[in-house]
Protein backbone atom coordinates (compact mmCIF):
# COMPACT_ATOMS: atom_id res chain seq x y z
CA UNK A 1 0.00 0.00 0.00
CA UNK A 2 1.36 3.42 -0.92
CA UNK A 3 0.18 6.12 1.43
CA UNK A 4 -2.17 8.56 -0.31
CA UNK A 5 -0.78 12.06 -0.52
CA UNK A 6 -3.75 13.32 1.45
CA UNK A 7 -4.16 13.28 5.21
CA UNK A 8 -7.87 12.72 4.92
CA UNK A 9 -8.44 9.19 6.29
CA UNK A 10 -11.90 8.97 4.74
CA UNK A 11 -10.78 9.96 1.26
CA UNK A 12 -12.78 7.91 -1.23
CA UNK A 13 -10.49 8.59 -4.18
CA UNK A 14 -10.55 5.57 -6.49
CA UNK A 15 -6.95 6.35 -7.39
CA UNK A 16 -5.84 4.12 -4.52
CA UNK A 17 -8.22 1.20 -5.05
CA UNK A 18 -5.55 -0.73 -6.90
CA UNK A 19 -3.57 -3.16 -4.80
CA UNK A 20 -0.08 -4.50 -4.29
CA UNK A 21 -0.35 -8.30 -3.92
CA UNK A 22 2.52 -10.69 -3.22
CA UNK A 23 2.81 -14.45 -3.54
CA UNK A 24 5.03 -16.33 -1.09
CA UNK A 25 5.91 -19.87 -0.15
CA UNK A 26 8.87 -22.16 -0.16
CA UNK A 27 10.32 -23.71 -3.28
CA UNK A 28 8.00 -26.48 -4.43
CA UNK A 29 4.88 -24.94 -2.86
CA UNK A 30 3.50 -24.38 -6.36
CA UNK A 31 2.77 -20.64 -6.16
CA UNK A 32 4.17 -19.78 -9.61
CA UNK A 33 1.58 -21.99 -11.29
CA UNK A 34 -1.22 -19.92 -9.79
CA UNK A 35 0.08 -16.38 -10.35
CA UNK A 36 -0.76 -16.32 -14.07
CA UNK A 37 -4.32 -17.50 -13.38
CA UNK A 38 -4.78 -14.95 -10.59
CA UNK A 39 -3.54 -12.08 -12.80
CA UNK A 40 -5.68 -13.20 -15.73
CA UNK A 41 -8.79 -13.30 -13.52
CA UNK A 42 -8.15 -9.72 -12.42
CA UNK A 43 -7.60 -8.67 -16.05
CA UNK A 44 -10.95 -10.18 -16.99
CA UNK A 45 -12.49 -7.72 -14.53
CA UNK A 46 -10.99 -4.96 -16.67
CA UNK A 47 -8.13 -4.22 -14.26
CA UNK A 48 -4.67 -3.18 -15.39
CA UNK A 49 -2.30 -5.78 -13.89
CA UNK A 50 1.50 -5.92 -13.75
CA UNK A 51 3.11 -9.25 -12.86
CA UNK A 52 6.67 -9.11 -11.64
CA UNK A 53 9.08 -11.08 -9.47
CA UNK A 54 11.89 -11.00 -6.91
CA UNK A 55 14.75 -11.17 -6.96
CA UNK A 56 14.42 -9.51 -10.37
CA UNK A 57 11.76 -7.44 -12.06
CA UNK A 58 14.24 -4.89 -13.47
CA UNK A 59 17.26 -5.22 -15.76
CA UNK A 60 19.69 -4.85 -12.86
CA UNK A 61 17.49 -6.97 -10.60
CA UNK A 62 17.51 -9.85 -13.09
CA UNK A 63 21.32 -9.68 -13.24
CA UNK A 64 21.44 -9.77 -9.44
CA UNK A 65 19.03 -12.74 -9.52
CA UNK A 66 21.43 -14.65 -11.74
CA UNK A 67 24.22 -14.08 -9.21
CA UNK A 68 22.03 -14.72 -6.14
CA UNK A 69 20.66 -18.01 -7.43
CA UNK A 70 23.98 -19.38 -8.63
CA UNK A 71 27.04 -18.00 -6.82
CA UNK A 72 28.03 -18.94 -3.27
CA UNK A 73 28.36 -15.88 -1.00
CA UNK A 74 28.38 -14.58 2.55
CA UNK A 75 24.93 -14.57 4.21
CA UNK A 76 25.10 -10.80 4.75
CA UNK A 77 25.99 -10.23 1.10
CA UNK A 78 23.01 -12.37 0.11
CA UNK A 79 20.63 -10.27 2.22
CA UNK A 80 22.09 -6.98 1.00
CA UNK A 81 21.85 -8.01 -2.65
CA UNK A 82 18.23 -9.15 -2.16
CA UNK A 83 17.37 -5.73 -0.75
CA UNK A 84 19.45 -3.91 -3.39
CA UNK A 85 17.48 -5.67 -6.12
CA UNK A 86 14.30 -4.86 -4.18
CA UNK A 87 15.08 -1.14 -4.00
CA UNK A 88 15.44 -1.00 -7.80
CA UNK A 89 12.26 -3.03 -8.17
CA UNK A 90 10.26 -0.75 -5.86
CA UNK A 91 11.44 2.47 -7.46
CA UNK A 92 11.27 1.33 -11.09
CA UNK A 93 8.29 -1.03 -11.14
CA UNK A 94 6.19 -1.25 -7.97
CA UNK A 95 5.70 2.41 -7.02
CA UNK A 96 5.31 3.68 -10.61
CA UNK A 97 2.80 0.88 -11.27
CA UNK A 98 0.75 1.66 -8.17
CA UNK A 99 0.88 5.40 -8.85
CA UNK A 100 -0.41 4.76 -12.38
CA UNK A 101 -3.41 2.94 -10.90
CA UNK A 102 -2.20 -0.56 -11.82
CA UNK A 103 -2.52 -3.70 -9.75
CA UNK A 104 0.97 -5.00 -9.00
CA UNK A 105 1.47 -8.70 -8.33
CA UNK A 106 4.93 -9.76 -7.24
CA UNK A 107 6.18 -13.33 -7.06
CA UNK A 108 7.94 -12.84 -3.68
CA UNK A 109 8.88 -9.70 -1.73
CA UNK A 110 10.47 -8.95 1.67
CA UNK A 111 8.74 -11.83 3.47
CA UNK A 112 11.04 -14.12 1.45
CA UNK A 113 14.10 -12.35 2.88
CA UNK A 114 12.83 -12.89 6.43
CA UNK A 115 12.02 -16.54 5.67
CA UNK A 116 15.13 -17.50 3.65
CA UNK A 117 17.91 -15.22 4.90
CA UNK A 118 16.40 -14.94 8.41
CA UNK A 119 14.82 -18.36 9.01
CA UNK A 120 16.83 -20.47 6.57
CA UNK A 121 20.28 -18.90 6.89
CA UNK A 122 19.95 -17.57 10.44
CA UNK A 123 20.57 -13.87 9.77
CA UNK A 124 19.16 -11.79 12.61
CA UNK A 125 15.57 -10.62 12.32
CA UNK A 126 16.73 -7.22 13.58
CA UNK A 127 19.18 -6.71 10.70
CA UNK A 128 16.49 -7.67 8.21
CA UNK A 129 14.04 -5.27 9.86
CA UNK A 130 16.62 -2.50 9.53
CA UNK A 131 17.01 -3.23 5.82
CA UNK A 132 13.24 -3.29 5.40
CA UNK A 133 12.95 0.04 7.23
CA UNK A 134 15.60 1.52 4.97
CA UNK A 135 14.32 0.19 1.65
CA UNK A 136 10.55 0.44 2.07
CA UNK A 137 9.51 2.11 5.35
CA UNK A 138 6.13 3.15 3.91
CA UNK A 139 5.29 0.28 1.57
CA UNK A 140 3.83 -3.14 2.40
CA UNK A 141 1.71 -5.49 0.31
CA UNK A 142 -2.04 -5.01 0.74
CA UNK A 143 -2.39 -8.78 0.55
CA UNK A 144 0.07 -11.67 0.68
CA UNK A 145 -0.93 -15.14 -0.45
CA UNK A 146 1.20 -17.62 1.44
CA UNK A 147 1.32 -21.09 -0.11
CA UNK A 148 1.91 -23.34 2.87
CA UNK A 149 3.06 -26.89 2.39
CA UNK A 150 4.90 -29.47 4.51
CA UNK A 151 8.59 -29.69 3.61
CA UNK A 152 8.47 -33.32 2.44
CA UNK A 153 5.72 -32.55 -0.12
CA UNK A 154 7.56 -29.46 -1.39
CA UNK A 155 10.72 -31.53 -1.83
CA UNK A 156 8.92 -34.28 -3.69
CA UNK A 157 7.63 -31.66 -6.14
CA UNK A 158 11.13 -30.20 -6.59
CA UNK A 159 12.50 -33.65 -7.35
CA UNK A 160 10.89 -33.41 -10.81
CA UNK A 161 12.94 -30.31 -11.72
CA UNK A 162 15.90 -30.95 -14.01
CA UNK A 163 18.14 -28.24 -12.61
CA UNK A 164 17.99 -26.83 -9.10
CA UNK A 165 19.31 -23.41 -8.05
CA UNK A 166 21.42 -22.66 -4.96
CA UNK A 167 18.35 -22.38 -2.70
CA UNK A 168 16.50 -25.38 -4.12
CA UNK A 169 19.58 -27.52 -3.48
CA UNK A 170 19.38 -26.89 0.29
CA UNK A 171 18.49 -29.73 2.68
CA UNK A 172 15.18 -30.40 4.43
CA UNK A 173 16.25 -28.71 7.69
CA UNK A 174 16.88 -25.44 5.79
CA UNK A 175 13.34 -25.55 4.39
CA UNK A 176 11.87 -26.33 7.82
CA UNK A 177 13.51 -23.12 9.06
CA UNK A 178 12.26 -21.20 5.99
CA UNK A 179 8.72 -22.37 6.73
CA UNK A 180 9.09 -21.36 10.40
CA UNK A 181 10.41 -17.98 9.23
CA UNK A 182 7.27 -17.43 7.15
CA UNK A 183 5.04 -18.43 10.05
CA UNK A 184 6.87 -16.05 12.40
CA UNK A 185 6.38 -13.21 9.93
CA UNK A 186 2.68 -14.07 9.55
CA UNK A 187 2.23 -13.97 13.32
CA UNK A 188 3.75 -10.49 13.34
CA UNK A 189 1.46 -9.09 10.61
CA UNK A 190 -1.54 -11.46 10.46
CA UNK A 191 -3.95 -8.98 8.86
CA UNK A 192 -2.32 -8.93 5.43
CA UNK A 193 -1.98 -12.70 4.83
CA UNK A 194 -4.19 -15.31 3.24
CA UNK A 195 -2.75 -18.72 4.04
CA UNK A 196 -3.37 -21.32 1.34
CA UNK A 197 -3.16 -25.04 2.02
CA UNK A 198 -0.86 -25.86 -0.89
CA UNK A 199 -0.53 -29.54 0.04
CA UNK A 200 -3.83 -30.11 -1.77
CA UNK A 201 -4.06 -30.85 -5.49
CA UNK A 202 -4.12 -28.06 -8.09
CA UNK A 203 -7.91 -27.96 -8.39
CA UNK A 204 -8.43 -27.64 -4.63
CA UNK A 205 -5.78 -24.95 -4.36
CA UNK A 206 -7.53 -23.08 -7.17
CA UNK A 207 -10.82 -23.24 -5.26
CA UNK A 208 -9.11 -21.56 -2.30
CA UNK A 209 -7.77 -18.87 -4.66
CA UNK A 210 -11.22 -18.31 -6.16
CA UNK A 211 -12.50 -17.57 -2.66
CA UNK A 212 -9.73 -15.09 -2.01
CA UNK A 213 -10.01 -13.33 -5.36
CA UNK A 214 -13.73 -12.84 -4.85
CA UNK A 215 -12.85 -10.74 -1.79
CA UNK A 216 -10.19 -8.45 -3.29
P1 LIG B 1 11.62 -18.60 -7.01
O1 LIG B 1 10.81 -17.41 -6.66
O2 LIG B 1 11.27 -19.84 -6.31
O3 LIG B 1 11.59 -18.73 -8.56
P2 LIG B 1 11.43 -20.04 -9.42
O4 LIG B 1 10.11 -20.61 -9.00
O5 LIG B 1 11.47 -19.48 -10.79
O6 LIG B 1 12.60 -20.89 -9.05
O7 LIG B 1 13.21 -18.36 -6.83
C1 LIG B 1 13.75 -17.38 -6.08
C2 LIG B 1 14.61 -17.95 -4.99
O8 LIG B 1 15.19 -16.85 -4.27
C3 LIG B 1 13.85 -18.79 -3.98
O9 LIG B 1 14.58 -19.96 -3.69
C4 LIG B 1 13.83 -17.94 -2.73
C5 LIG B 1 15.00 -17.02 -2.89
N1 LIG B 1 14.80 -15.71 -2.26
C6 LIG B 1 15.46 -15.40 -1.08
O10 LIG B 1 16.20 -16.24 -0.55
N2 LIG B 1 15.29 -14.18 -0.51
C7 LIG B 1 14.50 -13.22 -1.06
O11 LIG B 1 14.37 -12.10 -0.51
C8 LIG B 1 13.82 -13.54 -2.29
C9 LIG B 1 12.94 -12.52 -2.94
C10 LIG B 1 13.99 -14.80 -2.86
Amino acid sequence: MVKPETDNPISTSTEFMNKFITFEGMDGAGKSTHIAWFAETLRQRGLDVVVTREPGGTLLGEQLREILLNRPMNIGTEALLMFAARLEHIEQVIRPGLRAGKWVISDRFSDASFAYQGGGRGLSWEKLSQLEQWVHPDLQPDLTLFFDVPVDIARQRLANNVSLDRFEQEQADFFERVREGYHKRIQQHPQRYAVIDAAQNLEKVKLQLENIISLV
Side-chain angles (χ1 to χ4, degrees), residues 36-48:
W37 175 82
F38 197 91
E40 193 45 42
T41 306
L42 291 179
R43 285 188 186 116
Q44 280 167 11
R45 289 190 197 166
L47 301 172
D48 199 350

Side-chain angles (χ1 to χ4, degrees), residues 16-39:
F16 299 103
M17 295 284 283
N18 54 322
K19 292 195 165 85
F20 174 33
I21 301 176
T22 58
F23 279 59
E24 297 282 356
M26 64 187 155
D27 300 270
K31 66 182 167 47
S32 305
T33 319
H34 298 286
I35 292 179
W37 175 82
F38 197 91

Side-chain angles (χ1 to χ4, degrees), residues 6 9 19 24 38 45 55 75 100 102 108 113 128 135 175 190 203 205 210:
T6 165
K19 292 195 165 85
E24 297 282 356
F38 197 91
R45 289 190 197 166
I75 299 169
K102 296 178 183 173
R108 300 190 186 280
S113 297
L128 290 161
V135 171
F175 287 107
E203 275 315 304
V205 172
E210 277 167 4

Side-chain angles (χ1 to χ4, degrees), residues 1-8 11 16:
M1 185 188 309
V2 175
K3 282 191 188 149
E5 279 158 21
T6 165
D7 287 335
N8 180 0
S11 164
F16 299 103

